[in-house]
């Protein structure tokens, strides 16, 4: 714990530094009605501004503290007299100091700021999924700008350009912007920055609502991704990719942290949930809290049979398809196979768009994906997806990829 202790005489200030659980707290010691009181702040900038205001209030009232040293009081008056000869006063100096304090921020490296922010969010007991999303998006930010960039030096133009470069459609970019907005707003509240480099309300969000732009893999991109499944030696990721491409199951529905009767545990999809009829998604796994069955199509069944033969004994009934940390494992899998521009969302979006083009029904697609028809049309349907492409998409079998 870091304390900034101000003496009751106001003019004297002593800075005492101690560490308590690694958390900084800034405290001002002052007197009111002859009683000692304390004022605590989360950051030094707020503490100094409060103190400057406190001094100004005393100066405006023409009074000093009852416990002030008389010699110091004389020094105040002498200093004020000298300043008045120069056309100023202690009051003006105090107000100028206050303005200066408001314009000065602490400098902190980006990586350190992210670390402090994530620690603060963990203390707020946010959901594991939200925490993981923030950590992932801010990790991308640090990788893009480097560990040693000051958070104060990032401009709105830089952040806007960065968000535009993020892989995905406009809705995905807006989700990224919202995460950064939460981060930079926290930095501003803590006094690390003075201006927000992220728009309070994204123009991209408005454009996305107007254009309904989604990220859909082309048929050739889908073939490239599935070709890596043939080359891969990671059974869990192979199952994850083919099921995502041909059922549109949400990434978070494969494995998520849930709290049941006050106990946290993982809700997962197991191999026993897979049958020729489809893949069962329990209510605890489902984003909407409603159970559903993802339809089993012929191409997915062929891929599952192929993987069953490729990895004998892996698909035991009580074994989950993926375990904890699977999203990080998927990122490493993409990097290893040089397909790092593929995302779990684009696989879900691709299924939704091609399935809708194939059957011509938003309602049918919505039932499979656990959404409403309006959401499917808005977020998962691309008007550029052709029926011919949809037929080819659902014909990409293991034998076809092997023959290329």
């Amino acid at each position: 714990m870091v304390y900034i202790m101000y003496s009751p005489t106001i003019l004297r200030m002593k800075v005492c530094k101690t560490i308590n659980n690694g958390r900084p707290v800034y405290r001002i010691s002052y007197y009111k009605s002859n009683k000692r009181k304390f004022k605590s702040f989360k950051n030094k900038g707020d503490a100094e501004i409060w103190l400057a205001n406190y001094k100004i209030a005393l100066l405006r009232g023409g009074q000093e503290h009852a416990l002030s040293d008389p010699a110091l009081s004389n020094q105040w008056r002498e200093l004020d007299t000298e300043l008045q000869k120069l056309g100023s006063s202690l009051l003006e100096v105090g107000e100028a100091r206050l303005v200066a304090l408001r314009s000065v921020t602490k400098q902190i490296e980006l990586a350190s700021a992210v670390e402090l922010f994530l620690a603060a969010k963990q203390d707020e007991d946010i959901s594991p999924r939200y925490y993981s999303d923030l950590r992932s998006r801010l990790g991308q930010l640090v990788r893009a700008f480097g560990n040693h960039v000051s958070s104060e030096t990032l401009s709105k133009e830089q952040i806007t350009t960065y968000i535009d470069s993020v892989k995905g459609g406009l809705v995905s970019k807006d989700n990224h912007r919202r995460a950064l907005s939460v981060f930079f707003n926290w930095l501003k509240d803590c006094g690390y920055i003075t201006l927000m480099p992220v728009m309070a309300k994204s123009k991209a969000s408005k454009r996305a609502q107007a254009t309904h732009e989604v990220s859909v893999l082309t048929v050739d991109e889908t073939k490239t991704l599935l070709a890596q499944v043939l080359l891969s030696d990671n059974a869990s990721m192979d199952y994850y990719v083919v099921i995502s491409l041909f059922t549109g199951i949400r990434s978070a529905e494969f494995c998520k942290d849930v709290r049941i009767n006050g106990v946290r545990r993982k809700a997962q999809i197991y191999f026993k949930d897979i049958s020729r009829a489809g893949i069962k998604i329990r209510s605890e796994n489902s984003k909407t809290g409603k159970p559903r069955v993802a339809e089993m199509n012929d191409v997915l069944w062929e891929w599952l049979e192929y993987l069953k033969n490729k990895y004998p004994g892996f698909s035991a009934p009580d074994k989950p398809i993926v375990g904890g940390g699977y999203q990080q494992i998927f990122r490493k899998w993409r990097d290893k196979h040089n397909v790092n521009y593929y995302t779990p969302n684009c696989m879900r979006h691709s299924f939704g768009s091609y399935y809708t083009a194939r059957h011509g029904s938003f309602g049918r697609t919505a039932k499979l994906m656990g959404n409403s028809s309006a959401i499917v049309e808005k977020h998962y349907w691309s008007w550029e997806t052709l029926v011919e492409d949809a037929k080819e998409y659902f014909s990409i079998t293991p034998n076809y990829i092997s023959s290329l």
Side-chain angles (χ1 to χ4, degrees):
M1 187 175 291
V2 181
Y3 288 101
I4 302 220
M5 302 291 294
Y6 295 102
S7 74
T9 59
I10 303 173
L11 286 181
R12 282 191 299 223
M13 182 182 74
K14 183 181 286 188
V15 179
C16 302
K17 292 185 179 180
T18 58
I19 302 298
N20 184 10
N21 297 327
R23 301 196 177 279
V25 175
Y26 302 90
R27 193 169 70 163
I28 298 170
S29 172
Y30 68 104
Y31 279 79
K32 185 175 182 180
S33 302
N34 293 328
K35 291 184 179 180
R36 191 180 187 188
K37 295 185 177 292
F38 295 94
K39 191 80 173 177
S40 298
F41 300 86
K42 292 182 179 180
N43 62 79
K44 182 178 179 181
D46 287 347
E48 290 181 334
I49 290 173
W50 186 91
L51 182 66
N53 276 317
Y54 179 63
K55 289 180 180 180
I56 290 171
L58 292 178
L59 290 169
R60 280 181 175 150
Q63 56 183 308
E64 289 113 15
H65 201 279
L67 298 180
S68 294
D69 188 331
L72 288 176
S73 298
N74 291 332
Q75 291 178 22
W76 279 28
R77 281 188 278 271
E78 290 173 5
L79 178 59
D80 191 45
T81 301
E82 294 299 319
L83 287 172
Q84 288 178 6
K85 292 178 181 179
L86 298 173
S88 184
S89 67
L90 273 177
L91 180 59
E92 289 182 5
V93 171
E95 290 176 334
R97 173 62 176 159
L98 179 60
V99 171
L101 285 171
R102 285 172 174 160
S103 65
V104 174
T105 59
K106 296 174 289 184
Q107 296 294 308
I108 185 171
E109 292 179 349
L110 185 60
S112 300
V114 168
E115 185 178 346
L116 288 174
F117 169 76
L118 291 175
K121 284 298 171 184
Q122 263 190 324
D123 289 343
E124 293 179 11
D125 198 29
I126 62 176
S127 72
R129 180 181 177 185
Y130 182 41
Y131 176 81
S132 177
D133 180 69
L134 289 172
R135 184 175 60 182
S136 174
R137 296 184 191 279
L138 293 175
Q140 284 183 251
L141 181 72
V142 172
R143 289 191 293 273
F145 289 98
N147 292 340
H148 305 296
V149 176
S150 168
S151 58
E152 175 73 5
T153 62
L154 295 177
S155 67
K156 181 180 292 187
E157 291 72 21
Q158 285 178 299
I159 296 298
T160 301
T161 301
Y162 164 70
I163 293 175
D164 288 342
S165 71
V166 172
K167 180 70 176 180
L170 290 175
V171 173
S172 296
K173 293 179 190 294
D174 194 52
N175 290 336
H176 205 91
R177 179 205 61 78
R178 282 202 296 268
L180 297 188
S181 179
V182 172
F183 169 61
F184 283 109
N185 191 60
W186 180 84
L187 287 179
K188 189 172 184 293
D189 288 343
C190 290
Y192 289 114
I193 61 175
T194 52
L195 298 175
M196 283 282 288
V198 184
M199 291 181 291
K201 189 167 185 179
S202 172
K203 295 178 182 178
S205 176
K206 297 177 182 178
R207 293 199 303 271
Q209 294 175 13
T211 62
H212 310 308
E213 180 180 332
V214 296
S215 294
V216 175
L217 298 174
T218 66
V219 173
D220 287 340
E221 287 173 335
T222 305
K223 293 176 183 177
T224 300
L225 183 57
L226 288 170
Q228 309 314 308
V229 173
L230 268 61
L231 300 174
S232 169
D233 58 359
N234 190 319
S236 183
M237 288 299 99
D238 292 351
Y239 275 102
Y240 174 65
V241 169
V242 297
I243 291 174
S244 297
L245 282 172
F246 296 115
T247 65
I249 293 176
R250 294 180 180 88
S251 174
E253 290 177 332
F254 280 88
C255 177
K256 63 186 293 189
D257 292 321
V258 297
R259 190 191 295 270
I260 299 178
N261 297 326
V263 179
R264 282 188 175 182
R265 68 177 184 84
K266 293 190 181 300
Q268 297 165 289
I269 299 177
Y270 297 86
F271 281 100
K272 64 184 178 182
D273 298 321
I274 301 176
S275 69
R276 193 63 180 89
I279 301 177
K280 295 179 182 178
I281 302 169
R282 300 179 183 83
S283 58
E284 60 189 27
N285 289 84
S286 173
K287 179 181 179 181
T288 61
K290 298 179 180 179
R292 70 179 193 279
V293 176
E295 181 183 273
M296 180 63 67
N297 46 64
D298 293 338
V299 66
L300 176 58
W301 188 253
E302 284 195 43
W303 276 104
L304 293 177
E305 289 295 305
Y306 166 80
L307 294 176
K308 186 176 180 180
N309 294 326
K310 182 179 179 180
Y311 303 106
F314 181 82
S315 54
D318 291 328
K319 187 170 185 176
I321 297 172
V322 296
Y326 69 98
Q327 292 174 322
Q328 290 82 359
I329 296 172
F330 176 63
R331 283 195 287 271
K332 293 180 180 178
W333 185 91
R334 290 182 312 178
D335 294 340
K336 178 180 178 180
H337 294 279
N338 296 316
V339 287
N340 54 357
Y341 48 88
Y342 291 89
T343 66
N345 281 343
C346 78
M347 292 190 285
R348 175 172 166 81
H349 289 180
S350 299
F351 171 80
S353 192
Y354 286 116
Y355 191 87
T356 302
R358 185 186 188 188
H359 296 286
S361 170
F362 290 125
R364 182 170 176 176
T365 305
K367 185 177 180 180
L368 290 181
M369 299 183 71
N371 282 117
S372 66
S373 299
I375 292 296
V376 168
E377 182 178 4
K378 180 178 180 180
H379 291 296
Y380 301 112
W381 165 245
S382 172
W383 294 100
E384 297 176 355
T385 303
L386 303 176
V387 175
E388 291 76 12
D389 292 335
K391 290 179 180 178
E392 187 176 0
Y393 180 89
F394 285 101
S395 301
I396 308 175
T397 63
N399 288 335
Y400 177 81
I401 295 296
S402 299
S403 66
L404 295 178

mmCIF file of all heavy atoms in Angstrom, residues 8-12 59 62-81 90:
data_model
loop_
_atom_site.group_PDB
_atom_site.id
_atom_site.type_symbol
_atom_site.label_atom_id
_atom_site.label_comp_id
_atom_site.label_asym_id
_atom_site.label_seq_id
_atom_site.Cartn_x
_atom_site.Cartn_y
_atom_site.Cartn_z
ATOM 1 N N PRO A 8 -0.699 18.186 8.677
ATOM 2 C CA PRO A 8 -1.823 19.081 8.956
ATOM 3 C C PRO A 8 -1.510 20.529 8.634
ATOM 4 O O PRO A 8 -2.406 21.347 8.518
ATOM 5 C CB PRO A 8 -2.065 18.892 10.450
ATOM 6 C CG PRO A 8 -1.457 17.563 10.769
ATOM 7 C CD PRO A 8 -0.288 17.427 9.846
ATOM 8 N N THR A 9 -0.221 20.887 8.504
ATOM 9 C CA THR A 9 0.121 22.267 8.212
ATOM 10 C C THR A 9 -0.079 22.599 6.749
ATOM 11 O O THR A 9 0.109 23.742 6.344
ATOM 12 C CB THR A 9 1.579 22.534 8.589
ATOM 13 O OG1 THR A 9 2.412 21.646 7.846
ATOM 14 C CG2 THR A 9 1.805 22.314 10.066
ATOM 15 N N ILE A 10 -0.433 21.626 5.959
ATOM 16 C CA ILE A 10 -0.731 21.798 4.540
ATOM 17 C C ILE A 10 0.521 22.085 3.720
ATOM 18 O O ILE A 10 0.733 21.485 2.690
ATOM 19 C CB ILE A 10 -1.778 22.897 4.293
ATOM 20 C CG1 ILE A 10 -3.050 22.561 5.072
ATOM 21 C CG2 ILE A 10 -2.124 22.999 2.818
ATOM 22 C CD1 ILE A 10 -4.074 23.641 5.036
ATOM 23 N N LEU A 11 1.360 23.026 4.189
ATOM 24 C CA LEU A 11 2.546 23.344 3.403
ATOM 25 C C LEU A 11 3.549 22.202 3.433
ATOM 26 O O LEU A 11 4.330 22.041 2.513
ATOM 27 C CB LEU A 11 3.203 24.618 3.937
ATOM 28 C CG LEU A 11 2.478 25.914 3.596
ATOM 29 C CD1 LEU A 11 3.251 27.088 4.175
ATOM 30 C CD2 LEU A 11 2.317 26.074 2.099
ATOM 31 N N ARG A 12 3.561 21.429 4.528
ATOM 32 C CA ARG A 12 4.506 20.330 4.625
ATOM 33 C C ARG A 12 3.835 19.055 4.142
ATOM 34 O O ARG A 12 2.716 18.746 4.523
ATOM 35 C CB ARG A 12 4.960 20.157 6.085
ATOM 36 C CG ARG A 12 5.985 21.189 6.491
ATOM 37 C CD ARG A 12 6.589 20.831 7.826
ATOM 38 N NE ARG A 12 5.559 20.800 8.871
ATOM 39 C CZ ARG A 12 5.748 21.312 10.063
ATOM 40 N NH1 ARG A 12 6.871 21.907 10.360
ATOM 41 N NH2 ARG A 12 4.801 21.248 10.958
ATOM 42 N N LEU A 59 -7.413 28.980 1.254
ATOM 43 C CA LEU A 59 -6.912 30.299 0.887
ATOM 44 C C LEU A 59 -8.053 31.257 0.598
ATOM 45 O O LEU A 59 -8.026 32.431 0.971
ATOM 46 C CB LEU A 59 -5.995 30.178 -0.340
ATOM 47 C CG LEU A 59 -4.639 29.488 -0.085
ATOM 48 C CD1 LEU A 59 -3.955 29.189 -1.403
ATOM 49 C CD2 LEU A 59 -3.759 30.383 0.784
ATOM 50 N N GLY A 62 -9.531 32.660 3.573
ATOM 51 C CA GLY A 62 -8.639 33.524 4.341
ATOM 52 C C GLY A 62 -8.270 32.931 5.679
ATOM 53 O O GLY A 62 -8.094 33.657 6.659
ATOM 54 N N GLN A 63 -8.193 31.598 5.747
ATOM 55 C CA GLN A 63 -7.879 30.980 7.027
ATOM 56 C C GLN A 63 -6.825 29.904 6.832
ATOM 57 O O GLN A 63 -6.692 29.337 5.767
ATOM 58 C CB GLN A 63 -9.138 30.353 7.637
ATOM 59 C CG GLN A 63 -9.810 29.340 6.701
ATOM 60 C CD GLN A 63 -11.089 28.794 7.305
ATOM 61 O OE1 GLN A 63 -11.095 28.331 8.435
ATOM 62 N NE2 GLN A 63 -12.166 28.874 6.553
ATOM 63 N N GLU A 64 -6.051 29.670 7.884
ATOM 64 C CA GLU A 64 -5.121 28.565 7.906
ATOM 65 C C GLU A 64 -5.570 27.596 8.992
ATOM 66 O O GLU A 64 -6.427 27.924 9.803
ATOM 67 C CB GLU A 64 -3.699 29.059 8.180
ATOM 68 C CG GLU A 64 -3.106 29.826 7.025
ATOM 69 C CD GLU A 64 -2.904 31.278 7.376
ATOM 70 O OE1 GLU A 64 -2.949 31.619 8.569
ATOM 71 O OE2 GLU A 64 -2.735 32.077 6.451
ATOM 72 N N HIS A 65 -4.965 26.442 8.963
ATOM 73 C CA HIS A 65 -5.382 25.421 9.920
ATOM 74 C C HIS A 65 -5.065 25.848 11.348
ATOM 75 O O HIS A 65 -4.043 26.466 11.621
ATOM 76 C CB HIS A 65 -4.658 24.098 9.600
ATOM 77 C CG HIS A 65 -5.367 22.926 10.161
ATOM 78 N ND1 HIS A 65 -5.245 22.558 11.474
ATOM 79 C CD2 HIS A 65 -6.241 22.083 9.584
ATOM 80 C CE1 HIS A 65 -6.001 21.503 11.690
ATOM 81 N NE2 HIS A 65 -6.609 21.184 10.565
ATOM 82 N N ALA A 66 -5.939 25.479 12.276
ATOM 83 C CA ALA A 66 -5.758 25.888 13.679
ATOM 84 C C ALA A 66 -4.461 25.361 14.269
ATOM 85 O O ALA A 66 -3.891 25.969 15.172
ATOM 86 C CB ALA A 66 -6.941 25.384 14.508
ATOM 87 N N LEU A 67 -4.003 24.227 13.761
ATOM 88 C CA LEU A 67 -2.780 23.642 14.291
ATOM 89 C C LEU A 67 -1.547 24.031 13.503
ATOM 90 O O LEU A 67 -0.470 23.501 13.728
ATOM 91 C CB LEU A 67 -2.907 22.103 14.319
ATOM 92 C CG LEU A 67 -4.015 21.541 15.210
ATOM 93 C CD1 LEU A 67 -4.015 20.023 15.144
ATOM 94 C CD2 LEU A 67 -3.833 21.997 16.649
ATOM 95 N N SER A 68 -1.679 24.946 12.554
ATOM 96 C CA SER A 68 -0.532 25.352 11.745
ATOM 97 C C SER A 68 0.515 26.049 12.592
ATOM 98 O O SER A 68 0.203 26.775 13.540
ATOM 99 C CB SER A 68 -0.981 26.290 10.616
ATOM 100 O OG SER A 68 -1.804 25.601 9.705
ATOM 101 N N ASP A 69 1.728 25.870 12.204
ATOM 102 C CA ASP A 69 2.846 26.539 12.873
ATOM 103 C C ASP A 69 2.751 28.035 12.592
ATOM 104 O O ASP A 69 2.664 28.454 11.448
ATOM 105 C CB ASP A 69 4.150 25.965 12.313
ATOM 106 C CG ASP A 69 5.361 26.463 13.086
ATOM 107 O OD1 ASP A 69 5.301 27.583 13.632
ATOM 108 O OD2 ASP A 69 6.353 25.727 13.124
ATOM 109 N N PRO A 70 2.767 28.904 13.622
ATOM 110 C CA PRO A 70 2.695 30.352 13.399
ATOM 111 C C PRO A 70 3.779 30.858 12.458
ATOM 112 O O PRO A 70 3.544 31.771 11.664
ATOM 113 C CB PRO A 70 2.865 30.928 14.809
ATOM 114 C CG PRO A 70 2.406 29.838 15.722
ATOM 115 C CD PRO A 70 2.791 28.566 15.055
ATOM 116 N N ALA A 71 4.980 30.268 12.564
ATOM 117 C CA ALA A 71 6.070 30.702 11.684
ATOM 118 C C ALA A 71 5.714 30.438 10.223
ATOM 119 O O ALA A 71 5.983 31.258 9.340
ATOM 120 C CB ALA A 71 7.356 29.973 12.063
ATOM 121 N N LEU A 72 5.054 29.268 9.983
ATOM 122 C CA LEU A 72 4.653 28.935 8.617
ATOM 123 C C LEU A 72 3.559 29.889 8.137
ATOM 124 O O LEU A 72 3.526 30.277 6.982
ATOM 125 C CB LEU A 72 4.161 27.487 8.532
ATOM 126 C CG LEU A 72 5.243 26.396 8.651
ATOM 127 C CD1 LEU A 72 4.597 25.019 8.659
ATOM 128 C CD2 LEU A 72 6.219 26.499 7.485
ATOM 129 N N SER A 73 2.659 30.259 9.048
ATOM 130 C CA SER A 73 1.600 31.196 8.682
ATOM 131 C C SER A 73 2.187 32.529 8.248
ATOM 132 O O SER A 73 1.726 33.149 7.279
ATOM 133 C CB SER A 73 0.652 31.403 9.864
ATOM 134 O OG SER A 73 0.024 30.190 10.211
ATOM 135 N N ASN A 74 3.229 32.965 8.963
ATOM 136 C CA ASN A 74 3.911 34.209 8.589
ATOM 137 C C ASN A 74 4.559 34.074 7.213
ATOM 138 O O ASN A 74 4.530 35.009 6.400
ATOM 139 C CB ASN A 74 4.958 34.578 9.641
ATOM 140 C CG ASN A 74 4.327 34.997 10.958
ATOM 141 O OD1 ASN A 74 3.205 35.513 10.967
ATOM 142 N ND2 ASN A 74 5.032 34.772 12.062
ATOM 143 N N GLN A 75 5.148 32.886 6.966
ATOM 144 C CA GLN A 75 5.764 32.660 5.657
ATOM 145 C C GLN A 75 4.713 32.728 4.553
ATOM 146 O O GLN A 75 4.965 33.252 3.472
ATOM 147 C CB GLN A 75 6.460 31.300 5.630
ATOM 148 C CG GLN A 75 7.705 31.217 6.498
ATOM 149 C CD GLN A 75 8.330 29.843 6.463
ATOM 150 O OE1 GLN A 75 8.117 29.082 5.528
ATOM 151 N NE2 GLN A 75 9.107 29.520 7.495
ATOM 152 N N TRP A 76 3.525 32.201 4.825
ATOM 153 C CA TRP A 76 2.437 32.261 3.846
ATOM 154 C C TRP A 76 2.137 33.718 3.502
ATOM 155 O O TRP A 76 2.027 34.070 2.330
ATOM 156 C CB TRP A 76 1.180 31.610 4.445
ATOM 157 C CG TRP A 76 1.134 30.128 4.375
ATOM 158 C CD1 TRP A 76 2.180 29.267 4.362
ATOM 159 C CD2 TRP A 76 -0.043 29.337 4.314
ATOM 160 N NE1 TRP A 76 1.746 27.989 4.323
ATOM 161 C CE2 TRP A 76 0.368 27.994 4.290
ATOM 162 C CE3 TRP A 76 -1.409 29.611 4.312
ATOM 163 C CZ2 TRP A 76 -0.531 26.932 4.239
ATOM 164 C CZ3 TRP A 76 -2.307 28.556 4.260
ATOM 165 C CH2 TRP A 76 -1.871 27.232 4.221
ATOM 166 N N ARG A 77 1.972 34.523 4.562
ATOM 167 C CA ARG A 77 1.584 35.915 4.343
ATOM 168 C C ARG A 77 2.683 36.675 3.603
ATOM 169 O O ARG A 77 2.414 37.483 2.723
ATOM 170 C CB ARG A 77 1.252 36.574 5.673
ATOM 171 C CG ARG A 77 -0.145 36.226 6.191
ATOM 172 C CD ARG A 77 -0.515 37.056 7.413
ATOM 173 N NE ARG A 77 0.055 36.494 8.631
ATOM 174 C CZ ARG A 77 -0.562 35.588 9.377
ATOM 175 N NH1 ARG A 77 -1.734 35.121 9.010
ATOM 176 N NH2 ARG A 77 0.002 35.140 10.486
ATOM 177 N N GLU A 78 3.952 36.394 3.993
ATOM 178 C CA GLU A 78 5.067 37.062 3.320
ATOM 179 C C GLU A 78 5.127 36.655 1.843
ATOM 180 O O GLU A 78 5.350 37.486 0.958
ATOM 181 C CB GLU A 78 6.385 36.700 4.016
ATOM 182 C CG GLU A 78 6.520 37.325 5.415
ATOM 183 C CD GLU A 78 7.741 36.811 6.144
ATOM 184 O OE1 GLU A 78 8.524 36.044 5.513
ATOM 185 O OE2 GLU A 78 7.920 37.154 7.333
ATOM 186 N N LEU A 79 4.903 35.374 1.587
ATOM 187 C CA LEU A 79 4.941 34.887 0.211
ATOM 188 C C LEU A 79 3.801 35.493 -0.606
ATOM 189 O O LEU A 79 3.994 35.911 -1.754
ATOM 190 C CB LEU A 79 4.841 33.354 0.200
ATOM 191 C CG LEU A 79 4.832 32.683 -1.175
ATOM 192 C CD1 LEU A 79 6.105 33.025 -1.949
ATOM 193 C CD2 LEU A 79 4.696 31.166 -1.023
ATOM 194 N N ASP A 80 2.628 35.586 0.007
ATOM 195 C CA ASP A 80 1.486 36.159 -0.704
ATOM 196 C C ASP A 80 1.745 37.638 -1.013
ATOM 197 O O ASP A 80 1.397 38.128 -2.093
ATOM 198 C CB ASP A 80 0.221 36.008 0.152
ATOM 199 C CG ASP A 80 -1.045 36.323 -0.628
ATOM 200 O OD1 ASP A 80 -1.159 35.855 -1.775
ATOM 201 O OD2 ASP A 80 -1.900 37.052 -0.100
ATOM 202 N N THR A 81 2.396 38.340 -0.058
ATOM 203 C CA THR A 81 2.722 39.759 -0.282
ATOM 204 C C THR A 81 3.684 39.916 -1.454
ATOM 205 O O THR A 81 3.507 40.799 -2.316
ATOM 206 C CB THR A 81 3.333 40.363 0.982
ATOM 207 O OG1 THR A 81 2.403 40.242 2.064
ATOM 208 C CG2 THR A 81 3.658 41.837 0.781
ATOM 209 N N LEU A 90 -1.166 33.830 -3.857
ATOM 210 C CA LEU A 90 -1.134 32.404 -3.530
ATOM 211 C C LEU A 90 -2.333 31.680 -4.123
ATOM 212 O O LEU A 90 -2.251 30.532 -4.554
ATOM 213 C CB LEU A 90 -1.129 32.217 -2.006
ATOM 214 C CG LEU A 90 0.236 32.222 -1.307
ATOM 215 C CD1 LEU A 90 0.036 32.096 0.197
ATOM 216 C CD2 LEU A 90 1.101 31.090 -1.819
#
